[in-house]
Amino acid sequence: MLFSSVPFLFYFLPAALLIYFAAPRQLKNAVLLLASLFFYAWGEPKYMLLMLVSIVQGYGFGLLIEKHRGQKASKVFLTLSILVSLGLLGYFKYADFFLSSVNAVTGFSLPLLKLSLPIGISFYTFQVLSYVIDVYRGETAAQRNFIDLAAYVSLFPQLIAGPIVRYSDVAAELKSRTHSVSAAAEGVRRFTVGFAKKILLANQFGALASAYKSTQDASVLFVWLYALAFLLQVYFDFSGYSDMAIGLGRMLGFQFPENFNYPYISASITEFWRRWHMSLGSWFRDYLYIPLGGSRKGKARQLLNILIVWLATGLWHGAAWTFVLWGLWFAVLLLLEKLALLPVLFAVWEGLTAKTAVLPVPFFAPPQALIEVLHDDWPRLLDSLRVERTQSAQRKITVTRKEQSVVKQQDGSGRSRAIPVEVRRKRVFVKNPQVLAEEAARAEAEAAQARRAAEEKAAAEACARAEAEER
């Protein structure tokens, strides 16, 4: 049942909200659980039992982990819960992908299981994983009320398309939350914005993309329009569903985390993934990247961790080699950025696009497009770099955002210590030398004019003082 469908908008949602607000406070979570199970069963009733199994094992292992916290048994129970969650996800989502890959490599003819993918399994699996891991770390207490935990995992606003809500984000609201007309109105407004993104923008861009796929004679302009349309369709579709989920949560008294923050204004690949699908990015950061060592074990280990995380990210998005390659593509871009090579490419790119009237090719375009542009503009690229070095004092700088960095400084004893400093990420546009010379001449003429005006003003003031003294 899609949020934009007639059954959801005119039947399910009004009935669910009416029963929810009519129910007493102590029964609201039970109403949410029943509504969420009905919502899930509407689209795929045979897999509702699978979600309940995931919830039950998370509930049971969470209590066992808390009971034996600080003991080896706690880690054993955590491992078992993770294996069960990932086992269910792997079997239903990746079994056929694995079998088909083995067949392609070895020439075998292993029969495929032909399993349909359970709706929302990637989302509710990650929510159960974050819950048991947080209980193991002591960051949250185990939930002893099964209905409350089941309502959290199956909550229908975020069950299908996110955002990925952690238990710690809503633990207090599961126990006690406030409802008001203003909060409900805010939720309705947010839902309406998301609905408009989906229907008025995403669907229309999708129609344009479909028109390109059906044509047999695509011009260069049509290819560019298709690329732009697909880019915007993906964003407005996904962010629209996230807005609708956040709005529904607000109507029910929950504060869900934001999932998108204008990702296409990003100045780097790292910043882009801090703005796009933020709940997924922070999940992989906190539950995979940092446990692997993050950046604490040297540059080589950090680069390996980035590669592992993006392989996992690609597989999370889909069980196909195209998603694996997509994850590796972004891993390579991030590795280049961490090695301080990507900022040079971005500066060169902006230097080129600032001098041309053609539509710039984004870094998330297909690799062959990047190669063609760099090959054609290589001489101008070198000239841009020379101008940037010789005219660095006359750069036009636009500060895009602030970020916190850490540098090392030696103290009096000669030892290094880390101190936080504020740095600014800059976007550099290299100007043509002739333009710079014209601007310098114009600035000099303006300065001379200002000096003459100041001298004339001083002379007039002197004359005025002399006349006043004579009188």
Side-chain angles (χ1 to χ4, degrees), residues 150-383:
Y152 152 69
V153 176
S154 64
L155 198 58
F156 73 86
Q158 46 80 52
L159 181 59
I160 294 179
I164 300 175
V165 180
R166 303 187 194 183
Y167 176 77
S168 56
D169 293 334
V170 296
E173 293 168 346
L174 283 170
K175 185 177 180 180
S176 176
R177 54 188 177 275
T178 59
H179 304 85
S180 65
V181 174
S182 60
E186 180 185 345
V188 171
R189 284 193 296 269
R190 188 65 180 269
F191 182 89
T192 305
V193 169
F195 184 79
K197 283 183 179 181
K198 167 63 180 170
I199 300 300
L200 301 180
L201 296 174
N203 287 359
Q204 307 313 311
F205 286 123
L208 180 57
S210 298
Y212 168 81
K213 293 178 181 178
S214 62
T215 186
Q216 299 296 325
D217 186 21
S219 62
V220 174
L221 179 60
F222 203 0
V223 173
W224 275 105
L225 285 175
Y226 165 69
L228 184 61
F230 183 73
L231 204 70
L232 295 175
Q233 179 200 1
V234 172
Y235 169 69
F236 285 117
D237 190 276
F238 201 177
S239 68
Y241 266 105
S242 293
D243 286 341
M244 285 190 277
I246 293 171
L248 289 171
R250 196 73 189 96
M251 294 180 209
L252 299 171
F254 293 94
Q255 288 276 8
F256 292 163
E258 294 292 336
N259 215 20
F260 290 87
N261 184 24
Y262 304 103
Y264 290 153
I265 69 170
S266 303
S268 68
I269 300 299
T270 299
E271 183 182 2
F272 175 82
W273 283 106
R274 288 173 180 166
R275 293 174 174 271
W276 179 282
H277 204 344
M278 296 186 291
S279 62
L280 178 67
S282 63
W283 196 99
F284 274 114
R285 179 197 65 207
D286 295 340
Y287 298 106
L288 185 58
Y289 178 70
I290 292 177
L292 286 173
S295 59
R296 304 187 305 274
K297 298 185 178 181
K299 180 65 71 174
R301 182 61 180 273
Q302 180 189 16
L303 300 181
L304 176 62
N305 294 340
I306 290 174
L307 183 63
I308 293 172
V309 166
W310 279 95
L311 278 173
T313 303
L315 282 172
W316 185 88
H317 279 85
W321 284 108
T322 51
F323 287 103
V324 174
L325 294 176
W326 174 84
L328 288 175
W329 168 244
F330 275 104
V332 169
L333 290 179
L334 287 166
L335 293 178
L336 289 173
E337 191 167 88
K338 297 301 180 184
L339 292 172
L341 297 177
L342 200 59
V344 176
L345 295 180
F346 269 118
V348 170
W349 203 262
E350 289 173 339
L352 291 177
T353 56
K355 294 169 178 291
T356 61
V358 299
L359 185 65
V361 181
F363 263 102
F364 38 80
Q368 60 269 23
L370 303 179
I371 294 171
E372 290 172 4
V373 173
L374 287 176
H375 179 270
D376 295 339
D377 291 305
W378 188 251
R380 184 164 49 180
L381 179 148
L382 295 177
D383 292 339

Side-chain angles (χ1 to χ4, degrees), residues 387 391 394-395 430-441:
V387 171
Q391 303 291 340
Q394 300 187 47
R395 289 175 179 172
V430 184
K431 294 185 179 180
N432 187 287
Q434 183 178 355
V435 175
L436 291 173
E438 292 175 355
E439 289 184 354

Side-chain angles (χ1 to χ4, degrees), residues 31-45:
V31 171
L32 279 182
L33 174 59
L34 293 175
S36 299
L37 293 178
F38 179 84
F39 174 84
Y40 192 84
W42 180 275
E44 209 159 30

